[in-house]
């Protein structure tokens, strides 16, 4: 049965979070709170997608852009529904939505030990960037950023 692809809405949060929690390799944090996801969806309307088979959520992906580059986060397909093209379909729809916004390049993050995910992303045409390293800093709203300005 071919899944029905629909834009993710705030009302889908609980089911989407449950799927992300079920699927290995999806790294969740406070950035995935209901409030943060609602803000992301408002900022990138219609780009994050869900795949449904009847009333069962079988796939989900966050997609958006910063006006210059696109980003895909948290692609997840329910384990019993893999290898049916659902992940590829979600990615294809995301890339089409980004292209319609004039976005020419899309980035994503994969845990370096997640070999299955790396193989999937390579199979759909993404290339690893060995010359780049990701760096992060937690910041807290309402507090001055703890920068080392002494240098």
């Amino acid at each position: 049965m071919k899944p029905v692809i629909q834009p993710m809405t705030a009302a889908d949060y609980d089911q989407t979070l449950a799927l992300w929690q079920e699927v290995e390799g999806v790294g969740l944090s406070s950035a995935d709170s209901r409030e943060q996801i609602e803000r992301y969806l408002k900022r990138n309307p219609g780009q994050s997608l869900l795949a449904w088979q009847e009333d069962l959520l079988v796939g989900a992906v966050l997609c958006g852009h910063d006006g210059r580059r696109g980003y895909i986060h948290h692609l997840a397909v329910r384990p019993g529904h893999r290898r049916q093209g659902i992940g590829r379909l979600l990615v294809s729809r995301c890339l089409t939505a980004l292209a319609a916004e004039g976005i020419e390049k899309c980035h994503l993050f994969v845990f370096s030990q997640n070999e299955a995910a790396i193989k999937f992303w390579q199979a759909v045409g993404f290339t690893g960037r060995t010359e780049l390293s990701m760096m992060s800093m937690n910041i807290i709203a309402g507090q001055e950023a703890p920068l080392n300005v002494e240098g």
Side-chain angles (χ1 to χ4, degrees), residues 14-149:
D14 291 332
Q15 285 183 285
T16 304
L17 180 63
L19 176 62
W20 288 336
Q21 291 170 330
E22 176 185 338
V23 172
E24 72 285 347
V26 176
L28 298 172
S29 70
S30 61
D32 300 302
S33 69
R34 180 182 303 277
E35 296 77 21
Q36 294 287 356
I37 295 297
E38 286 178 6
R39 183 178 355 178
Y40 190 86
L41 296 175
K42 283 182 186 176
R43 183 175 164 81
N44 298 283
Q47 294 184 355
S48 296
L49 303 171
L50 302 176
W52 297 90
Q53 287 188 336
E54 297 181 11
D55 291 336
L56 181 64
L57 179 62
V58 296
V61 64
L62 282 177
C63 177
H65 66 85
D66 60 14
R68 185 171 163 271
R69 295 287 188 248
Y71 297 91
I72 292 176
H73 307 275
H74 297 348
L75 174 66
V77 175
R78 192 172 297 280
H81 293 81
R82 294 182 180 163
R83 313 222 33 95
Q84 299 175 24
I86 295 168
R88 286 177 179 267
L89 181 59
L90 288 169
V91 171
S92 176
R93 297 274 180 94
C94 285
L95 297 176
T96 298
L98 291 170
E101 294 283 327
I103 303 301
E104 297 178 0
K105 185 178 252 184
C106 183
H107 299 298
L108 54 92
F109 302 98
V110 179
F111 288 115
S112 58
Q113 301 303 312
N114 190 342
E115 293 179 21
I118 292 168
K119 286 179 184 177
F120 169 82
W121 288 111
Q122 289 173 335
V124 298
F126 280 75
T127 303
R129 299 284 303 265
T130 58
E131 77 279 15
L132 299 175
S133 293
M134 188 179 107
M135 300 177 77
S136 298
M137 175 189 279
N138 290 330
I139 55 174
I140 301 171
Q143 293 186 6
E144 185 172 335
L147 297 180
N148 180 358
V149 294

